């Protein structure tokens, strides 16, 4: 009997173990996205484009880069992920490369590296621009009617990267272009056949006008023309920057007027009444009667305003020091208001009674104890950027905050009441008998990437008058700027500061803006008049 019970119990235990072994683990792994957060290569031009939605990276490199031997400088991934293969071990990026980023799941990423090669074909006696079709691998140059096509001298032929492209047949000597000629280019692992032709054409020498005289869109605010290059040559291009109200759909803009030079030729699809997309730059080609082509780059911008532009929002920290922002996490404007070595220094304060909000900013130059060799004067200052103290000193001061737009002017309302100078270079000795001066300036900048706020400013090295660019990011390109210097007493008044853009940087559009207003123009050098007051009611960008 006992044996029967033992056998039954043993069978039960085996059945129980077997049933447990058959239970499936239906608990899914949690979904954790895996991807690249950065990717850079040698010879890269511009920023890396990372699209998390389609899991793709696009990079542009210069033509000096051999796409079969690319050096990946760095890359980074989301947390707790791995990638296969290692991008630094992959050299051939002639075609797109597939990488697998692993978390609990696998994510396939495509990395595409491309390059723009400046192809060229020029012949002796040429008129107008060469027509180049990269997709069809064709080039066509033009000579005047009656010039003849049976004895053409090739001045320049570029069918691949400089310095490592072989072309056959040789371009030396005389060529008969009564029929197209095939040329073969070889570089790296690429071999291509191009078809070149020359045609006679009627071009009127000296008639080089290929201007866009009017380009108007519905609801636009303004348009600015910037002409660069050299008139009368093929190196002739221009920009038109068009500003639209914030919130405008740049992908669906209606042309209401479009005219160009008499006798010039435009063969594109931009016509009055058509809808065009300016979310990306568009290029129009206008050809003059002399057969020269001018390239017009059309760029659309939204009229963005700065946060707290009316200076109505302020918060106070635990020491009752005011700051021009709604919260400490929402800072666009900064001041030198600090608490160091037991002393509170407040140069910039909110005052009741603004025109657009219930407050305006008062910037007052004040005296400070100056213990331990510290400054004896602090200028009333308001600026876009960061002012970060560290103990008894300033860790860094950096001018500039993000603004992806292209304003034409800075408008503001201000008053100014200067006093006589009381300090010069942090000393009350040998101070000139003259009034203090106020200063307001704006700079539009292009910065590739984020502003670097890590490097501090060594105030012990300050000597004499300091340049406005002292606290600008070192890699910033100044695209446009404006300034007003305030002298003598000024009652409340409105100011318009037209922004002058530098033509040599016309290809860039702003990414950051720096605005500085101070009651003492040389306050950076600890020179100013205690009691000088600059009051600002609002700033406004004009488009």
């Amino acid at each position: 009997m006992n044996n029967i019970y033992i056998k039954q119990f043993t069978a039960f235990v085996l059945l129980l173990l077997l049933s447990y072994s058959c239970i499936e683990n239906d608990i899914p792994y949690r979904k954790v996205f895996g991807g690249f957060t950065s990717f850079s290569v040698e010879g890269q031009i511009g920023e890396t484009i990372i699209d998390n939605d389609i899991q793709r990276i696009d990079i542009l490199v210069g033509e000096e880069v051999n796409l079969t031997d690319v050096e990946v400088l760095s890359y980074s991934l989301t947390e707790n992920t791995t990638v296969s293969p290692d991008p630094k071990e992959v050299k051939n990026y002639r075609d797109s490369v597939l990488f697998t980023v692993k978390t609990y799941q696998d994510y396939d990423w495509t990395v595409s590296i491309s390059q723009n090669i400046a192809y060229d074909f020029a012949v002796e006696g040429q008129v107008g621009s060469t027509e180049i079709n990269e997709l069809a691998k064709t080039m066509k140059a033009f000579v005047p009617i009656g010039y003849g096509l049976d004895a053409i001298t090739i001045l320049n032929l570029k069918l691949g990267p400089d310095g490592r492209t072989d072309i056959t047949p040789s371009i030396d000597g005389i060529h008969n272009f009564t029929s197209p000629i095939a040329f073969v280019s070889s570089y790296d692992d690429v071999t291509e056949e191009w078809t070149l032709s020359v045609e006679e054409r009627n071009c009127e020498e000296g008639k080089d006008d290929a201007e866009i005289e009017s380009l108007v869109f519905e609801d636009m605010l303004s348009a600015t023309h910037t002409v660069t290059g050299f008139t009368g040559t093929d190196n002739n291009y221009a920009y038109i920057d068009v500003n639209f109200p914030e919130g405008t759909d740049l992908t669906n803009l209606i042309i209401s007027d479009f005219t160009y030079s008499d006798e010039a030729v435009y063969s594109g699809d931009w016509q009055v009444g058509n809808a065009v997309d300016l979310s990306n730059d568009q290029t129009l080609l206008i050809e003059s009667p002399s057969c020269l082509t001018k390239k017009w780059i059309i760029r659309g911008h939204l009229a963005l305003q700065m946060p707290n532009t009316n200076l109505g929002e302020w918060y106070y920290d635990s020491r009752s020091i005011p700051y021009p922002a709604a919260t400490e996490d929402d800072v666009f404007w900064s001041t030198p208001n600090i608490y160091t070595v037991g002393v509170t220094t407040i140069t910039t304060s909110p005052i009741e009674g603004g025109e657009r909000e219930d407050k305006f900013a008062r910037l007052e130059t004040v005296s400070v104890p100056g213990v331990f060799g510290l400054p004896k004067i602090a200028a009333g200052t308001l600026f876009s950027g960061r002012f970060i103290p560290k103990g008894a000193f300033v860790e860094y001061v950096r001018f500039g905050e993000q603004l992806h737009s292209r304003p034409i002017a800075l408008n503001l309302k201000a008053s100014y009441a200067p006093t006589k100078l009381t300090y010069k270079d942090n000393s009350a000795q040998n101070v000139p008998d003259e009034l203090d001066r106020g200063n307001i300036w704006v700079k539009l900048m292009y910065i590739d990437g984020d502003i670097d706020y890590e490097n501090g400013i060594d105030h012990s090295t300050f000597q004499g008058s300091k340049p406005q660019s002292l606290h600008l990011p070192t890699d910033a390109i100044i695209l446009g700027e404006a300034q007003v210097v305030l002298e003598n007493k000024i009652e409340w008044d409105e100011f318009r500061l037209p922004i002058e853009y530098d033509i040599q940087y016309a290809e860039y559009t702003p990414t950051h803006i720096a605005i500085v207003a101070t009651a003492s123009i040389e306050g950076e050098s600890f020179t100013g008049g205690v009691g000088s007051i600059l009051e600002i009611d609002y700033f406004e960008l004009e488009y």
Side-chain angles (χ1 to χ4, degrees), residues 264-302:
V265 176
Y266 167 69
S267 56
D269 57 3
W270 280 36
Q271 305 294 336
V272 172
N274 285 6
V276 298
D277 181 357
L278 285 184
S279 59
N280 293 303
D281 298 350
Q282 299 292 332
T283 300
L284 306 186
L285 300 179
I286 310 292
E287 187 178 88
S288 70
S290 63
C291 301
L292 292 175
T293 299
K294 174 176 280 190
K295 181 186 295 185
W296 290 84
I297 296 94
I298 318 300
R299 302 184 291 203
H301 311 278
L302 295 178

Side-chain angles (χ1 to χ4, degrees), residues 437-463:
R437 294 178 299 159
N439 190 24
I440 303 170
W441 57 260
V442 55
K443 296 181 189 293
L444 277 300
M445 304 177 288
Y446 171 81
I447 299 173
D448 186 5
D450 296 327
I451 295 180
D452 176 16
Y453 286 111
E454 297 302 320
N455 298 319
I457 297 296
D458 183 2
H459 281 249
S460 65
T461 64
F462 282 2
Q463 297 293 332

Side-chain angles (χ1 to χ4, degrees), residues 468-540:
Q468 292 180 359
S469 60
L470 178 65
H471 302 296
L472 293 178
T474 55
D475 57 350
I477 299 174
I478 308 302
L479 306 184
E481 55 190 326
Q483 178 181 18
V484 60
V485 176
L486 306 173
E487 299 178 328
N488 302 315
K489 183 175 178 61
I490 300 173
E491 300 295 340
W492 280 109
D493 199 1
E494 294 180 338
F495 296 84
R496 182 179 186 272
L497 280 59
I499 297 171
E500 295 186 10
Y501 285 91
D502 192 335
I503 191 173
Q504 69 175 314
Y505 300 123
E507 65 186 284
Y508 298 99
T509 54
T511 60
H512 292 74
I513 187 171
I515 295 177
V516 177
T518 180
S520 298
I521 192 171
E522 295 189 30
E524 188 77 76
S525 305
F526 312 117
T527 296
V530 173
S532 293
I533 296 176
L534 171 60
E535 294 177 332
I536 299 177
D537 192 10
Y538 61 81
F539 291 109
E540 181 180 69

